[in-house]
């Protein structure tokens, strides 16, 4: 005797939200409270900056674009640019020496990095500034033999040269470790694939290894550049009037304007480091093309997405 199997059909469609219904986001009260507290603190700090007469904003506006300040800014830019280029070149050479199979190159490179990272920058600058007392003349010729050309060290070692050489020497020691870490981050299979293609060592490094290492080198090296820009404030110890040296001199001449002059220096350093940070973002975004399917959005794209989200919430549109 067969029995019929009756399957009960659903009484109606499942209870899915209709097109007019809106998905409500998860409530996060602590996040809003934290944001409100931060906004209050920022508002108080801004109010104190604007209303405190001790900052003398009228004197700040007077000094900000004065020619003497801009001349000091130009010297800071020159020292930072030359030191960054020479430091990066020296860092690449030192990193290759650290990774070399030659024990002499490896030992000398390690010793240089160890020594220059151990000595404060101000000591290096002062030592180079007084180097003419130890070596009045420099010569080129046969080692331990006759000299073909002789130079007066005091004429060659100008204030700009001393500042650039000192900053470049210390920058190269730190850049060497950054470059070495970037080179070691490249997968070993990339080296093996380049060798299997029969490429010379030089092309393996310049075409395959180094471009991939730049993804790891760029963020850390830009941090070094930001530190280098701020480290240029020490070159006034070697009689080079950069931005900070100019501000120091003006503060001694106009003691009543010390605070606005320091604010001028602060704002200019913030502008320079902000430009470097913007360049870092775009360089990282460029080198991330081969590693990320979607490159990170730019600040303008993030702002546009935020405005679009606010517009959808205002219109009560459903979240897609």
């Amino acid at each position: 005797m067969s029995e019929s199997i009756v399957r009960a059909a659903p009484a109606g469609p499942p209870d899915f939200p209709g097109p007019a219904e809106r998905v409500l986001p998860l409530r996060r009260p602590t996040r809003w409270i934290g944001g409100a507290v931060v906004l209050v603190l920022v508002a108080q700090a801004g109010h104190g900056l604007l209303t405190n007469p001790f900052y003398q904003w009228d004197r700040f506006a007077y000094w900000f674009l004065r020619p003497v300040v801009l001349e000091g800014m130009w010297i800071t830019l020159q020292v930072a640019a030359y030191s960054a280029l020479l430091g990066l070149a020296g860092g690449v050479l030192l990193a290759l020496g650290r990774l070399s199979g030659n024990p002499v190159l490896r030992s000398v490179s390690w010793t240089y990095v160890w020594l220059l990272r151990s000595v404060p920058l101000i000591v290096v600058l002062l030592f180079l500034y007084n180097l003419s007392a130890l070596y009045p003349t420099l010569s080129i010729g046969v080692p331990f033999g006759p000299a073909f050309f002789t130079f007066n060290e005091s004429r060659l070692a100008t204030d700009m040269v001393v500042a650039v050489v000192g900053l470049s020497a210390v920058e190269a020691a730190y850049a060497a470790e950054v470059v070495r870490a970037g080179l070691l981050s490249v997968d070993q299979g990339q080296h093996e694939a380049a060798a299997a293609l029969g490429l010379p060592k030089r092309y393996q490094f310049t075409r395959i290894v180094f471009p991939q290492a730049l993804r790891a080198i760029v963020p850390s090296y830009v941090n070094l550049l930001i530190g280098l820009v701020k480290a240029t404030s020490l070159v006034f110890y070697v009689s080079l009037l950069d931005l900070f040296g100019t501000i120091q001199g003006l503060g001694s001449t106009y003691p009543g304007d010390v605070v606005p002059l320091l604010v001028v220096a602060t704002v200019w350093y913030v502008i320079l480091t902000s430009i470097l940070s913007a360049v870092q973002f775009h360089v990282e975004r460029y080198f991330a093309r081969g590693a990320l399917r979607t490159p990170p959005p730019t600040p303008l794209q993030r702002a546009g997405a935020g405005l679009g989200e606010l517009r959808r919430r205002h219109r009560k549109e459903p979240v897609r």
Side-chain angles (χ1 to χ4, degrees), residues 214-215 218-219 222 276-289:
L214 283 175
R215 290 188 58 250
V218 168
V222 173
L276 287 177
S277 299
V279 172
Q280 173 189 358
F281 173 80
H282 289 285
V283 173
E284 288 182 5
R285 193 169 184 268
Y286 175 80
F287 284 107
R289 294 179 304 171

Side-chain angles (χ1 to χ4, degrees), residues 26-44:
L26 182 64
R27 303 297 182 184
R28 303 180 185 273
T30 56
R31 179 183 297 179
W32 289 102
I33 294 174
V37 171
V38 172
L39 285 178
V40 170
L41 294 177
V42 171
Q44 287 182 337

Side-chain angles (χ1 to χ4, degrees), residues 49 54-57 59-64 69 73 233 236 243-252 254-271:
L49 286 174
F54 195 67
Y55 287 105
Q56 305 179 55
W57 292 109
R59 301 300 297 170
F60 167 83
Y62 172 80
W63 287 113
F64 187 69
V69 175
M73 171 62 65
S233 60
F236 82 96
L243 174 62
F244 188 73
T246 302
I247 294 298
Q248 285 283 92
L250 292 174
S252 300
Y254 303 92
D257 292 347
V258 171
V259 172
L261 285 170
L262 291 177
V263 176
V264 167
T266 301
V267 171
W268 274 120
Y269 281 120
V270 168
I271 291 173

Side-chain angles (χ1 to χ4, degrees), residues 63-82:
W63 287 113
F64 187 69
L65 294 177
R66 297 296 295 176
V68 63
V69 175
L70 296 180
E71 290 176 4
M73 171 62 65
W74 174 241
I75 293 177
T76 295
L77 291 175
Q78 285 182 298
V79 173
Y82 294 149

